[in-house]
Structure formats: structure tokens, C-alpha cells
């Protein structure tokens, strides 16, 4: 899984930020690594450093193999809060999207199909 970090509007892009974001996302999304090809991170300061509550915004876009991308947004008071909030939202969205697909397309057998196995 590749992680790409983009910043804008007053947020400095540093190598340490990219390394931390990559490590955090790879750990948080490890159970979906076979389904995700890339995660794009976009961090913005909507007020460009003027201050204010919840003026930082993080957008995460997970590119899935053979499926439409999953996109989430989160606002927070600082980069850490908005990034972690967006990560939680992305986990929930992936669980919903990929979990629904798993339920609909199971190829395994169950005991419900074999009446003799219930006895």
C-alpha cells in the first residue's frame, strides 16, 4: 500500500510528517492492505494560520483494487486531531464497503446447505 501526502494552505510538508502518516496508516489499515493500492492524504489549514477552532482539514482517499475510491474528510483543531479523526472515518467506511462485499460474495459452504450436517 502506497501512501502519498499532499499539503496546502499553510501546512508545511516535511519528510517526518510523511513518514509518520505512512506508518500510522499502514498500521491502522493493515487488515485491508490486500484491497488498498494507495491512500492519498491531503492536509489543509483553511484559515491559513489565522487561528480558530477546527480550521485544519484532512481528506483521505483510499484507492481500492477494482472498486471506486473511498473518500473521507475530517476537521480538527490541529493536524494530529484531524488526521486521526479522518483515519477513524476511513476505517469505518472501509469496514462498511468491504464488509458488505464480503457478505454478498462468499464462496464457502455452510452447514445450512447440508441438512445431514445439522443432525
Amino acid at each position: 500500500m502506497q501512501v502519498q501526502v499532499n499539503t496546502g494552505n499553510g501546512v508545511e510538508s516535511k519528510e517526518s510528517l510523511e513518514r509518520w502518516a505512512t506508518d500510522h496508516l499502514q498500521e491502522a489499515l493493515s487488515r485491508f492492505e490486500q484491497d488498498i493500492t494507495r491512500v492519498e492524504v491531503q492536509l489543509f489549514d483553511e484559515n491559513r494560520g489565522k487561528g480558530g477552532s477546527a480550521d485544519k482539514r484532512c481528506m483521505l482517499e483510499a484507492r481500492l483494487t477494482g472498486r471506486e475510491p473511498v473518500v473521507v474528510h475530517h476537521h480538527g483543531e490541529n493536524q494530529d486531531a484531524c488526521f486521526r479523526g479522518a483515519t477513524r472515518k476511513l476505517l469505518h467506511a472501509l469496514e462498511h464497503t468491504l464488509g458488505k462485499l464480503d457478505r454478498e460474495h462468499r464462496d464457502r459452504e455452510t452447514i445450512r446447505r447440508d441438512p445431514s450436517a445439522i443432525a
Side-chain angles (χ1 to χ4, degrees):
M1 173 177 56
Q2 178 186 4
V3 177
Q4 180 179 348
V5 179
N6 301 310
T7 59
N9 292 348
V11 177
E12 286 187 42
S13 178
K14 296 181 181 177
E15 189 175 317
S16 59
L17 172 64
E18 291 180 26
R19 191 172 39 249
W20 177 80
T22 299
D23 291 345
H24 182 75
L25 287 172
Q26 286 180 342
E27 182 180 332
L29 304 176
S30 63
R31 66 182 154 174
F32 301 113
E33 69 184 347
Q34 65 194 19
D35 299 304
I36 300 173
T37 57
R38 182 175 70 201
V39 177
E40 292 187 30
V41 180
Q42 294 185 9
L43 293 166
F44 298 97
D45 183 350
E46 293 184 334
N47 292 339
R48 295 187 187 211
K50 293 179 185 174
S53 63
D55 66 336
K56 306 291 189 282
R57 180 171 61 100
C58 180
M59 189 272 302
L60 297 178
E61 178 178 348
R63 302 286 178 124
L64 304 176
T65 306
R67 310 220 186 298
E68 291 293 316
V70 176
V71 181
V72 296
H73 301 269
H74 190 77
H75 287 81
E77 293 183 13
N78 56 47
Q79 286 179 355
D80 186 58
C82 69
F83 182 76
R84 290 180 189 273
T87 302
R88 283 190 301 274
K89 286 183 178 182
L90 183 59
L91 275 170
H92 179 73
L94 289 170
E95 287 169 351
H96 178 75
T97 300
L98 298 174
K100 182 185 265 188
L101 291 171
D102 185 44
R103 285 191 304 271
E104 292 173 1
H105 302 291
R106 291 181 192 240
D107 290 333
R108 58 185 164 184
E109 294 294 319
T110 69
I111 62 171
R112 294 182 191 138
R113 294 186 186 157
D114 185 7
S116 63
I118 298 176

